[in-house]
Amino acid sequence: QQQVKQSPQSLIVQKGGISIINCAYENTAFDYFPWYQQFPGKGPALLIAIRPDVSEKKEGRFTISFNKSAKQFSLHIMDSQPGDSATYFCAASNQGGSEKLVFGKGTKLTVNP
Amino acid sequence: SQTIHQWPATLVQPVGSPLSLECTVEGTSNPNLYWYRQAAGRGLQLLFYSVGIGQISSEVPQNLSASRPQDRQFILSSKKLLLSDSGFYLCASATGNNQPQHFGDGTRLSIL
C-alpha cells in the first residue's frame, strides 16, 4: 500500500496552543518521513524530517514523533503562532527521500491571534 | 543551496491547446528532478521523475509528457490540453540519493 493517511483535514488553534497533525502509513519499506509547510500560492517547503531509527526529532517549536510499530508519525507545533497558519503535508518514501514521495492530503492549520 | 525556478507562475489556456512548462535548477549538478500536480484540497501527485538527461519515468498515464534536455532543465508538455489538466504544477529537485526534495513555487494552470 502506497497511501499516507493524514488527519485532521483542518485544524484551528489559539495562539500559544499546541497543534498536532497525525499521519499513518502501510508500506514498511518507507524509511524517510518529511513534513512540508505550504503557504497559499507557494510551493511546499521542507519543515522537518525523520528516519525510523529515532522516535522523536525536534527543531525549534516543531517536533516529529515517530511510532514504528504503529506505523504512525505526527507533527507537533508548540506555542503556535498566527504565522504558522498554512497547509501542512506529511510524506513518506524509501531510499532516503530522493525516491518517490507519497504525500498525505494535507492539513489546513489556522492559528487565531 | 539549490534554487528551483518555474515559469510561468500562472497560465490560462484553452482546451485543446499545447502546453510547455519549464523548470530549471541552480546550485547543484545532476539532480533528481520531479513534476507533481496538486489539485485543490488534495495532496501532491507525482507525475514524472528523472535521474538524468533523457531519463524519464512516468508515474501516471495521462495527457502529459516530460523531457529533460539538459542536466538542470525539466519540461512538462502536452500536445492537447484537457479540462482535467487544470491544477497547480510543482517541480522538485533532490541533489542526489538520500537527499530531500525541495520545491519550486509552481505554475497555476487553468484550462478554459
Side-chain angles (χ1 to χ4, degrees), chain A residues 32 36 38 41-44 46 51 89 95-101 103-105, chain B residues 32 34 36 38 42-43 46 49 59 88 90 96-101 103-105:
Chain A
Y32 176 72
Y36 285 85
Q38 185 178 30
K42 295 292 185 181
L46 180 64
R51 300 184 191 274
F89 292 94
Q95 294 190 22
S98 58
E99 275 294 317
K100 310 162 200 178
L101 278 172
F103 282 85
K105 292 189 175 181
Chain B
N32 294 343
Y34 310 81
Y36 289 86
Q38 184 176 22
R42 301 181 66 179
L46 179 64
Y49 73 98
E59 288 298 300
F88 192 41
L90 290 154
N97 291 336
N98 296 315
Q99 297 301 315
Q101 294 182 32
F103 287 81
D105 278 339

Side-chain angles (χ1 to χ4, degrees), chain A residues 8-73:
Chain A
Q9 191 172 10
S10 62
L11 181 61
I12 300 174
V13 174
Q14 291 299 117
K15 179 181 176 182
I18 302 174
S19 304
I20 301 174
I21 304 171
N22 300 299
C23 286
Y25 64 98
E26 291 293 326
N27 188 347
T28 55
F30 287 150
D31 62 1
Y32 176 72
F33 303 89
W35 285 90
Y36 285 85
Q37 178 190 56
Q38 185 178 30
F39 293 104
K42 295 292 185 181
L46 180 64
L47 192 61
I48 188 173
I50 198 168
R51 300 184 191 274
D53 52 343
V54 296
S55 60
E56 185 174 282
K57 183 175 181 180
K58 184 176 180 179
E59 289 184 2
R61 296 184 293 108
F62 300 90
T63 300
I64 299 179
S65 297
F66 183 79
N67 186 329
K68 188 174 182 178
S69 61
K71 291 185 284 187
Q72 295 176 347
F73 58 110

Side-chain angles (χ1 to χ4, degrees), chain B residues 32-65:
Chain B
N32 294 343
L33 296 174
Y34 310 81
W35 277 112
Y36 289 86
R37 177 168 56 204
Q38 184 176 22
R42 301 181 66 179
L44 284 76
Q45 180 186 36
L46 179 64
L47 302 176
F48 302 94
Y49 73 98
S50 171
V51 298
I53 296 174
Q55 300 178 61
I56 309 294
S57 296
S58 173
E59 288 298 300
V60 181
Q62 61 210 317
N63 186 40
L64 302 168
S65 62

Side-chain angles (χ1 to χ4, degrees), chain B residues 74-101:
Chain B
F74 205 23
I75 297 172
L76 184 69
S77 303
S78 174
K79 292 181 179 177
K80 277 188 173 183
L81 286 167
L82 306 173
L83 283 173
S84 58
D85 291 324
S86 292
F88 192 41
Y89 288 84
L90 290 154
C91 177
S93 171
T95 56
N97 291 336
N98 296 315
Q99 297 301 315
Q101 294 182 32

